Amino acid sequence: MLSREIVQFSEMRHEIRAYLCFLLQKNIANNLPHIELNKIIEGLHKVSSEVKIFELLYVLDSSGNLVFDAISPDSSIDYKKGQNHNDRSYFHRSIKEKQSILTDPYPSSASGNLVVTISYPLYNNKGELVYVVCMDIPLDKTALLVKPMPLFGFFVGFRKFIYFVVSVALFFVSLLLLVRGSFSILDSVDNFMFFDIQDVFEATILITLSLAIFDLVRAIFEEEVLGRQKSQDSKMVHKTMIRFLGSIVIALAIEALMLVFKFTIIEPEKLIYAVYLIGGVTLLLVGLSLYMRFATNLKRDD
């Protein structure tokens, strides 16, 4: 049940954030010469009347202190004025990014339930941080915010089924390449005194492509079928892409080397085609290097 709620939240995360951002911006003015706390409280009551499923509504000052007792429909939850929350990620991230952010699910210190928090930083017209408005929403109720269509669940399940089928098909392709490459190696061992170096190169290419496709299958299965992606950082996606492209480059480089040997001995006039392939591999390496550079910069920004 819990994993299903997390997957559902990840599927609808962008819609939930967009709705909550719109709601907060509509009811609480930002970038004003004077941001009055009583106006913020009025706006929060309007928000609470529209979003009835929240757990907590509260406002932090620029130091992370609660400026008034939190608003909650549950009287057993007690968030008193003066409590400090400057160690919370939603407080620092919203200030760093200067925009509303929606957190991943985490256990609430107030109730112990899994919640997500939307935080909305308020600045005066001089760009100085004044307050951060926060709303905690129980994870199991987040789907109610965007009211998905009746067919939403069907299409999500159908999409996962398609990815599952594609993953299985690619896995068998990877397995066939691995088996074929392994048999080529065994044949070379059995005929060690007469084996052709080209057979070894081809076996290496087959096994390398098998590894690349297997990595792709693993990424698709984990992310789209099991729903283990959708985290804020994309390190695993970049890592999978780099390994896949790297395997392809290695396979093409081996093929180019094999053609150099073949054409040099048998058809020297066709050696230029091997040179073209080596040039293509070089361009792929340059492209992969640029991708790794930009991917690294993106991870640092995150």
Side-chain angles (χ1 to χ4, degrees):
M1 177 66 71
L2 181 59
S3 61
R4 184 183 66 82
E5 292 169 350
I6 293 176
V7 170
Q8 188 176 37
F9 169 73
S10 68
E11 296 284 352
M12 306 170 66
R13 182 189 191 108
H14 296 296
E15 291 83 356
I16 293 170
R17 180 184 178 277
Y19 170 69
L20 293 175
C21 288
F22 166 76
L23 196 61
L24 290 170
Q25 292 170 5
K26 182 181 74 170
N27 292 287
I28 303 174
N30 204 348
N31 299 307
L32 298 176
H34 301 286
I35 298 180
E36 300 178 9
L37 187 58
N38 60 328
K39 295 292 184 181
I40 297 176
I41 296 174
E42 289 178 11
L44 288 179
H45 283 294
K46 293 178 182 178
V47 171
S48 66
S49 64
E50 188 161 346
V51 182
K52 303 180 185 301
I53 59 171
F54 70 95
E55 182 175 285
L56 279 173
L57 271 170
Y58 49 101
V59 178
L60 309 176
D61 62 19
S62 59
S63 298
N65 300 308
L66 267 72
V67 295
F68 61 84
D69 293 350
I71 301 171
S72 175
D74 187 350
S75 58
S76 65
I77 297 179
D78 192 18
Y79 251 36
K80 292 296 185 181
K81 175 181 178 180
Q83 292 185 22
N84 189 273
H85 290 251
N86 66 1
D87 59 340
R88 307 299 169 88
S89 62
Y90 55 79
F91 176 72
H92 290 288
R93 279 188 56 210
S94 61
I95 296 174
K96 178 183 177 181
E97 299 179 18
K98 295 188 177 181
Q99 63 178 355
S100 299
I101 63 101
L102 182 64
T103 68
D104 291 329
Y106 69 95
S108 168
S109 59
S111 64
N113 299 322
L114 277 181
V115 299
V116 296
T117 298
I118 181 81
S119 56
Y120 173 44
L122 300 178
Y123 295 87
N124 60 24
N125 62 343
K126 297 180 181 178
E128 299 169 337
L129 178 70
V130 182
Y131 298 111
V132 177
V133 178
C134 303
M135 178 192 293
D136 294 353
I137 301 172
L139 174 65
D140 59 352
K141 297 180 180 179
T142 52
L144 300 176
L145 292 171
V146 293
K147 299 178 181 178
M149 296 183 299
L151 292 178
F152 177 81
F154 169 77
F155 283 115
V156 170
F158 181 73
R159 190 191 70 181
K160 288 185 177 181
F161 173 75
I162 293 298
Y163 275 115
F164 174 77
V165 172
V166 171
S167 299
V168 171
L170 287 175
F171 172 75
F172 279 112
V173 171
S174 173
L175 188 61
L176 287 173
L177 291 172
L178 178 61
V179 171
R180 183 66 183 88
S182 300
F183 274 120
S184 295
I185 294 176
L186 291 176
D187 288 341
S188 298
V189 172
D190 289 339
N191 302 281
F192 183 75
M193 300 302 296
F194 306 100
F195 83 93
D196 188 349
I197 190 67
Q198 181 175 336
D199 294 335
V200 176
F201 281 140
E202 289 179 351
T204 305
I205 292 171
L206 291 173
I207 294 174
T208 303
L209 289 176
S210 173
L211 177 61
I213 295 174
F214 179 78
D215 275 339
L216 183 62
V217 169
R218 180 180 58 82
I220 292 175
F221 191 82
E222 289 184 353
E223 296 175 4
E224 301 297 342
V225 180
L226 299 181
R228 292 180 181 172
Q229 90 296 11
K230 318 294 188 197
S231 60
Q232 288 295 89
D233 69 84
S234 54
K235 293 181 180 179
M236 186 57 67
V237 175
H238 292 311
K239 181 179 177 181
T240 301
M241 181 61 71
I242 290 170
R243 291 182 64 181
F244 180 75
L245 292 176
S247 299
I248 297 298
V249 170
I250 291 172
L252 289 174
I254 294 172
E255 181 72 22
L257 182 60
M258 182 178 68
L259 289 178
V260 169
F261 290 147
K262 177 180 178 180
F263 291 151
T264 300
I265 298 173
I266 301 175
E267 300 175 283
E269 67 278 3
K270 293 184 179 180
L271 194 59
I272 187 63
Y273 297 114
V275 175
Y276 290 155
L277 184 56
I278 292 173
V281 171
T282 303
L283 290 177
L284 284 175
L285 280 173
V286 172
L288 181 59
S289 299
L290 291 174
Y291 178 82
M292 293 176 64
R293 176 68 179 272
F294 287 121
T296 302
N297 291 339
L298 285 174
K299 288 187 281 187
R300 287 175 181 173
D301 291 341
D302 291 341

